[in-house]
Amino acid sequence: MCSRSSKACATCSASIATAVREVALTVGDGVALDAVLTLPAGPGPYPALIALHPAADRSRDQYLFRHLAAVLPPRGVAVLRYDRRGDDVPLEVQAADTASAITTLRSRDDIDAARIGLWGFSQGAWVAPLVASESHEVAFLVLVASTGVSPSEQMLYGTTKHAREAGFDLDAERAIVALRRTVDDWRRGRVTRESAQAAVDAASGGPWFEHAWVERTLGDGSWPNMDFDPEPVFSRVRVPVLLFYGDDDEWQPIERSMAAWRRAAARAANEDVTIVRLAGTRHAPTLHGGEDIALIAPEYERALVAWLEARALR
C-alpha cells in the first residue's frame, strides 16, 4: 500500500502502469461526457466503482478520483471517472448521467454487472444514494462527507463555521444567516428580487460578507435542489454503504448527517451501513485540510480497500 511519500508514490505509479489498462469512453444521458475506465490488466469480469463529483470540481481528473484509479484497479476493482456536464447541474440530471454510466459498464464483458458500485464525495454523496434508491443495478455505495441536511441548510452551517473560524463573532454569524435566508427565500419565490438585492447591498460592505457566499449582484434566482431532503432518499437505500466523515467538517454538520443515516438505515432495515470517522481530516479525507493526493489520510485508503475486499471482491 502506498505510503504517499513522493518516493513511494513514484514507485506505486510505476508498478500501476504495468498492472492496469485504461479505456477511453463516453457516457451521459443525451450528452457525450468524456470518461476513462481504469481496469486490472486481465480479462475480468471485474467489479467496478463509478466516481461522482463534488460541487466544486467537475473534472474526471479530480484528485480523489485519481487516487481511486491508482489504488483500486491493482487490487481487482475497475474505476470509471468522467467529466460532469457542467456546474450547478440538478441532482436528477446528474443521477441520469450516472445511470447512463452504469448502463455503459454493464454492457462490457470485462465488468461484472452484478458488482457495480458508486463512490460519491460531497455533492456526489447526494447523487449516489439517489441513483441507488431508484435502481437495482447498484451493488454498493462508498460515500465521503455524505450530508444529511438540505443544500440550503448545509450552506448555512458551512458559511457560519467559516466566519467563526476567521474570527468573527456571533453577531456576524447571525447576519450571515439572515442574509442567506433572505436570498434563499427570493429563490423560493417568497421575497422579491428587489428586496433580496437590497439586503445584499446593505451587507456587502461588512467585513464578514465574503464568508456569506452570496453573489454581489443576484442572478436568475435558480438553485437546483436547494431544499432537497436527503434522509428519505437514504431510507430507500438497501445495499451495503460505507460512510467516511472527518473529525471536524468545515462544510456540513457531521453529527446530524450520521444521525440521518442511522435513522434511514433503521427504516430501510439495512444492517450493512458502516461509518468511519477519519482522524485529522475535515470535509475531504485528507490531512491538514489539504486538497492533494499526497495528503490523503492513510486510514481512508486502508478502510476503503478492506471494505471493498469484503464486499466487492468476495
Side-chain angles (χ1 to χ4, degrees), residues 145-170:
S146 175
T147 303
V149 299
S150 71
S152 177
E153 286 296 314
Q154 179 238 321
M155 286 301 294
L156 289 175
Y157 178 91
T159 52
T160 54
K161 184 172 180 64
H162 277 82
R164 185 164 58 253
E165 291 181 345
F168 290 97
D169 60 16
L170 185 58

Side-chain angles (χ1 to χ4, degrees), residues 8 27 32 90 95 116 130 143 189 264 266 269:
V27 301
I116 296 174
L130 187 60
L143 306 177

Side-chain angles (χ1 to χ4, degrees), residues 186-308:
W186 162 63
R187 294 183 175 117
R188 296 182 180 104
R190 300 174 186 170
V191 171
T192 65
R193 187 185 188 283
E194 291 74 19
S195 294
Q197 185 63 60
V200 173
D201 293 342
S204 62
W208 49 262
F209 179 75
E210 65 175 307
H211 297 286
W213 283 63
V214 171
E215 55 189 336
R216 180 62 185 82
T217 301
L218 298 179
D220 63 7
S222 63
W223 182 11
N225 310 112
M226 63 181 290
D227 292 317
F228 168 74
D229 183 359
E231 188 170 333
V233 174
F234 297 167
S235 69
R236 297 196 299 273
V237 174
R238 292 177 170 82
V239 297
V241 181
L242 174 61
L243 299 159
F244 288 104
Y245 290 99
D247 266 343
D248 182 25
D249 195 313
E250 72 272 32
W251 277 115
Q252 60 120 344
I254 294 173
E255 299 299 334
R256 290 175 64 187
S257 296
M258 293 192 302
W261 264 107
R262 291 186 179 110
R263 290 190 299 267
R267 285 196 294 273
N270 187 351
E271 297 181 356
D272 198 349
V273 174
T274 302
I275 298 176
V276 177
R277 291 291 294 268
L278 297 170
T281 70
R282 305 198 74 190
H283 193 58
T286 54
L287 301 175
H288 316 301
E291 295 185 359
D292 189 283
I293 196 168
L295 296 176
I296 289 174
E299 180 56 26
Y300 162 73
E301 183 176 312
R302 284 194 294 267
L304 171 67
V305 169
W307 191 88
L308 288 174

Side-chain angles (χ1 to χ4, degrees), residues 24-47:
L25 301 171
T26 59
V27 301
D29 182 38
V31 296
L33 304 174
D34 290 336
V36 58
L37 175 63
T38 309
L39 294 137
Y46 297 104

Side-chain angles (χ1 to χ4, degrees), residues 21 52 62 66 83 94 106 114 119 141-142 160 187 198 233 245 267 281 296 303:
R21 57 193 173 93
L52 303 182
Q62 202 266 355
R66 289 188 287 108
D83 291 334
Q94 294 187 56
R106 286 173 60 86
W119 178 101
L141 297 178
V142 178
T160 54
R187 294 183 175 117
V233 174
Y245 290 99
R267 285 196 294 273
T281 70
I296 289 174

